[in-house]
């Protein structure tokens, strides 16, 4: 087993750090990570009083929404390319990333 990495045109090695988890308790639903992810991995959801998850429009007006809190979720983790842009922009340090063994 070794760590998955790629060789860049320069000859340098890049080891992608794939998204592993997102701490919903820390997340404030600001949407910054969603905007920078180039791969459509993330999805904003609303958490209702009963813990139900409903889809949310990132630019929606909050006034008459039926959820209590918005949180980001990893909807399509398999599309992640390990760029860590989401983690770098997150103001609450919600993300955990890691290399993968191959
Ligand atoms: S590491 Fe990059 S591709 Fe993966 S979820 Fe974060 S921003 Fe998207
Ligand atoms: S940037 Fe961080 S706090 Fe903002 S929505 Fe994404 S995970 Fe949540």
């Amino acid at each position: 087993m070794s760590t998955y990495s790629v060789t860049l045109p320069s000859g340098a090695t890049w080891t992608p750090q794939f998204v592993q988890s997102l701490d919903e308790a820390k997340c404030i639903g600001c949407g910054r990570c969603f905007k920078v992810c180039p791969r459509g991995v993330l999805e904003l959801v609303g958490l209702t009083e009963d813990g139900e998850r409903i889809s949310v429009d990132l630019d929606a007006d909050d006034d008459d929404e039926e959820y209590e809190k918005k949180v980001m979720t990893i909807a399509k983790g398999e599309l992640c390319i390990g760029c860590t842009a989401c983690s770098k922009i997150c103001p609450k340090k919600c993300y955990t990333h890691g290399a993968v063994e191959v």
Side-chain angles (χ1 to χ4, degrees), residues 31-66:
R32 288 180 174 90
C33 55
F34 180 89
K35 287 178 179 160
V36 299
C37 178
R39 296 283 295 164
V41 173
L42 306 170
E43 182 183 8
L44 191 65
V45 301
L47 294 180
T48 68
E49 222 175 353
D50 306 327
E52 195 188 337
R53 289 160 184 260
I54 54 176
S55 70
V56 168
D57 181 349
L58 199 61
D59 300 318
D61 184 351
D62 277 342
D63 287 352
D64 58 349
E65 302 298 353
E66 63 264 40

Side-chain angles (χ1 to χ4, degrees), residues 57-94:
D57 181 349
L58 199 61
D59 300 318
D61 184 351
D62 277 342
D63 287 352
D64 58 349
E65 302 298 353
E66 63 264 40
Y67 50 81
E68 292 211 309
K69 179 188 175 189
K70 291 189 286 188
V71 292
M72 198 58 68
T73 56
I74 301 169
K76 293 181 181 160
E78 71 278 10
L79 296 180
C80 178
I81 55 170
C83 67
T84 69
C86 52
S87 183
K88 290 216 161 52
I89 204 155
C90 177
K92 304 303 262 182
K93 300 193 182 339
C94 297

